Amino acid sequence: YDAERIHKIKREVLFNEGISCYDAANFLNNQLRGLTLFSDAVDFENFWLNKLFSVAQCDKLFDVESIYDLSFNHKTYKEIKEKMSVSVITHRAENDANLIRSIIEKSMSN
């Protein structure tokens, strides 16, 4: 119920329109095999991915690393994120990814 509140996706929608954990894990592996993804919350990403792949009983064939391992101005990133986050609905993957990309681009130009 906490996830429903945070992500604003009703449980009924997930049950009626969603896919199985096994299908989700296989889809991710097929799309991301051998790649490294970057996140601003790598511990949370890996926690949920590990849970997904454990339930699906298969290995994760890609890595998730911290964006803070990348070369850009971290201080500027945090300042810009605070300003931009107010106008963006977060906890939706596409919005979060676009926000992170935009902030890193801006922090690299500062």
Side-chain angles (χ1 to χ4, degrees), residues 21-34:
C21 293
Y22 180 79
D23 287 342
N26 279 315
F27 176 81
L28 290 171
N29 274 339
N30 288 334
Q31 297 296 310
L32 305 171
R33 181 184 312 269

Side-chain angles (χ1 to χ4, degrees), residues 29-87:
N29 274 339
N30 288 334
Q31 297 296 310
L32 305 171
R33 181 184 312 269
L35 296 178
T36 299
L37 308 179
F38 290 91
S39 170
D40 66 339
V42 70
D43 292 337
F44 291 109
E45 306 294 0
N46 281 320
F47 172 81
W48 289 112
L49 285 168
N50 290 339
K51 186 176 274 291
L52 170 67
F53 280 87
S54 174
V55 169
Q57 298 180 342
C58 61
D59 293 330
K60 181 169 58 85
L61 303 178
F62 58 93
D63 294 313
V64 181
E65 301 292 338
S66 174
I67 63 169
Y68 300 107
D69 294 339
L70 299 173
S71 180
F72 65 93
N73 187 323
H74 297 182
K75 182 176 183 248
T76 302
Y77 169 85
K78 289 177 183 178
E79 291 168 358
I80 295 170
K81 183 176 180 184
E82 284 179 24
K83 291 176 188 172
M84 290 180 73
S85 292
V86 175
S87 63

